[in-house]
Amino acid sequence: PEPEPPASPDLPPAGTLVTHWMDLSGTTAPKPIAFQEDAANGFDKEAKLVIEDLRDLAPEAGEPEGLRRKLVMVKLLTGRTHQIRAQFGLLGWPLRNDVLYRPHFCRDTVEASGLDPFNPVLDLRCYRMQFEFKDHVFDVSVDPNVPK
């Protein structure tokens, strides 16, 4: 069964370290995720990110009444498969159009929009990447083209 989001209807504030435990043993998605480590059941890979900044966004035309949207900037501390999608889905804040990690929140919206539910366009963008390769540090930045 899909884990339930916490009782809080809001995201943790900026500066918060968010930690979950993922089961990455399978080859299919969605990747199972839990609030606490449970190695006996496969939840043995720590997934960490920091919420660096967040702000409310105005609803767009055609969105359901009462839908809340936020722009969230995170810093990944681990790089797990589907990590951002899984963590925000578990928190009750799925990425827009993410039918994989919180389908009961998103499926009707995706189907009504005419998007392919098996290949939706997610609101997920990378604006900066830093990594080491062969003793060199690479830092790549791009314009994330985020809503104003």
Side-chain angles (χ1 to χ4, degrees), residues 94-100 106 109-110 113 115 117 120-123:
L95 301 178
R96 186 162 68 169
N97 300 332
D98 194 349
V99 297
L100 192 58
C106 303
T109 304
V110 169
S113 70
L115 292 171
V121 177
L122 300 178
D123 273 349

Side-chain angles (χ1 to χ4, degrees), residues 53-147:
D53 190 25
L54 56 117
R55 63 180 160 109
D56 292 321
L57 294 175
E60 292 184 355
E63 288 184 330
E65 178 90 18
L67 180 71
R68 294 173 57 199
R69 297 176 61 228
K70 290 192 181 281
L71 174 65
V72 183
M73 298 178 104
V74 301
K75 179 178 184 178
L76 287 174
L77 302 180
T78 54
R80 307 290 182 206
T81 302
H82 292 210
Q83 178 180 338
I84 294 171
R85 296 173 68 186
Q87 286 192 274
F88 279 90
L90 188 63
L91 290 172
W93 284 82
L95 301 178
R96 186 162 68 169
N97 300 332
D98 194 349
V99 297
L100 192 58
Y101 282 91
R102 293 302 274 183
H104 59 278
F105 284 147
C106 303
R107 184 157 292 137
D108 292 342
T109 304
V110 169
E111 288 175 357
S113 70
L115 292 171
D116 176 357
F118 298 104
N119 190 22
V121 177
L122 300 178
D123 273 349
L124 179 63
R125 293 172 178 85
C126 175
Y127 71 94
R128 182 172 179 232
M129 240 186 330
Q130 185 178 45
F131 57 94
E132 292 182 32
F133 181 71
K134 295 186 177 183
D135 298 325
H136 290 47
V137 175
F138 296 87
D139 194 340
V140 180
S141 297
V142 297
D143 177 1
N145 190 23
V146 297

Side-chain angles (χ1 to χ4, degrees), residues 21-23 32-34 36-45:
W21 297 88
M22 297 182 75
D23 175 358
I33 188 164
Q36 59 192 18
E37 183 177 18
D38 183 3
N41 289 309
F43 296 98
D44 59 348
K45 300 295 184 202

